[in-house]
Amino acid sequence: MQDVKLAIIGGSSLTSLEQLGQVESHTISTSYGKPSSDIQIGEFGGEPVAFLARHGSDYQTPPHLINYQANIAALKKMGVEKILAVNTVGGIHPSMPAGSIVIPDQLIDYTWGRASTYSDQGNVIFIEFEKPFDQTLRQHLQKAAQQLQLSPHNGAVYGCTQGPRLETAAEINRLERDGCDLVGMTAMPEAALARELGMAYASVCLVVNPAAGRSDRPICMSEVEKVASVGMLQVVQLLEAAVVSIAN
Ligand code: HPA
């Protein structure tokens, strides 16, 4: 297997990474089960990069049923040390309308019932999690964005809800009172599991809709898909420039 230290986890609007070109595909099993998809290794930004489709390569697994433990354990098993995660989100803060790219620096976990730790096999792991996203990776993402003249929001609070249903307007008001700027369904327990295994993890969020009650119209999936397909082109460019920055 090719030596690979950096992985990208793609979300609902990034189920494959065409830019990897000729790929090695690996079916990995872990003591936590199988990851959501085979892991592809190819070249991206001139560097070896692993790609994992968080929801499966056919987008078949909803956020609450993703085997986050197996996903992160599989990347660890391959030797990955750094993870750039892509998450689509709803925008709560008015400065983050649909189409915005955000590099969050904090999160609040509202999920429940997900297997959220490796601290379950006779060992107790207390991770430090004051800053849930790796600061160095965040700086690389920011630098890459500057090079591309993108102006992502640098720093935001990601509220992770259980899904797969979208939130009520009152739930979004509560998240806002809690300090959340964005709402998504997948950053947790992913970020915490990566930290438990000593892997650096940062997220690039693409805002694909105003959160519930933050627009005069209900959330419309066809509009979400349109925003996602345009925005993801920029996100992929940003990832590529970040990979180059991390390697140098
Ligand atoms: N809420 C939760 N998750 C999401 C949303 C949302 O509005 N949009 C994209 N992912």
Side-chain angles (χ1 to χ4, degrees):
M1 190 190 302
Q2 212 180 325
D3 193 39
V4 63
K5 300 270 183 261
L6 177 63
I8 292 172
I9 301 182
S12 51
S13 305
L14 191 69
T15 52
S16 65
L17 190 61
E18 308 308 330
Q19 290 78 354
L20 285 178
Q22 195 83 326
V23 292
E24 276 179 15
S25 191
H26 296 276
T27 305
I28 308 280
S29 56
T30 77
S31 51
Y32 296 91
K34 281 199 179 153
S36 303
S37 70
D38 283 353
I39 297 174
Q40 316 281 334
I41 303 180
E43 248 190 45
F44 186 52
E47 300 298 323
V49 168
F51 179 82
L52 170 68
R54 181 189 289 118
H55 296 272
S57 38
D58 294 323
Y59 190 21
Q60 68 272 33
T61 313
H64 66 300
L65 295 181
I66 290 168
N67 189 340
Y68 296 94
Q69 287 174 314
N71 284 355
I72 298 298
L75 294 175
K76 181 75 181 178
K77 201 170 168 182
M78 295 178 85
V80 167
E81 295 172 353
K82 296 172 184 166
I83 299 172
L84 296 175
V86 179
N87 305 85
T88 51
V89 295
I92 299 175
H93 197 277
S95 69
M96 299 176 199
S100 308
I101 296 176
V102 187
I103 305 166
D105 64 339
Q106 278 296 330
L107 60 77
I108 301 180
D109 188 6
Y110 299 92
T111 65
W112 47 270
R114 300 184 181 188
S116 59
T117 175
Y118 294 111
S119 204
D120 55 3
Q121 294 185 339
N123 57 336
V124 183
I125 312 167
F126 290 109
I127 49 163
E128 190 282 315
F129 208 45
E130 180 189 339
K131 294 183 175 150
F133 300 106
D134 182 79
Q135 297 300 324
T136 307
L137 287 183
R138 291 187 60 251
Q139 281 162 10
H140 285 295
L141 287 164
Q142 183 60 26
K143 186 176 148 202
Q146 274 162 6
Q147 282 164 358
L148 294 168
Q149 299 186 323
L150 296 174
S151 39
H153 286 266
N154 193 16
V157 181
Y158 177 120
C160 192
T161 57
Q162 177 71 355
R165 71 162 174 84
L166 294 163
E167 299 71 33
T168 65
E171 285 169 336
I172 292 299
N173 290 340
R174 172 189 165 209
L175 262 67
E176 184 179 47
R177 286 195 299 275
D178 285 354
C180 296
D181 302 304
L182 307 168
V183 57
M185 300 175 188
T186 51
M188 284 298 281
E190 204 172 81
L193 291 167
R195 180 69 57 89
E196 283 192 354
L197 295 190
M199 301 155 92
Y201 178 100
S203 160
V204 180
C205 292
L206 175 65
V207 180
V208 290
N209 58 275
R214 296 302 152 110
S215 154
D216 47 14
R217 287 176 297 145
I219 296 169
C220 160
M221 281 306 146
S222 64
E223 277 175 36
V224 164
E225 280 162 25
K226 246 187 258 165
V227 175
S229 64
V230 174
M232 231 10 106
L233 301 174
Q234 286 193 328
V235 169
V236 170
Q237 280 186 324
L238 174 57
L239 291 170
E240 187 167 18
V243 168
V244 173
S245 172
I246 291 164
N248 289 293

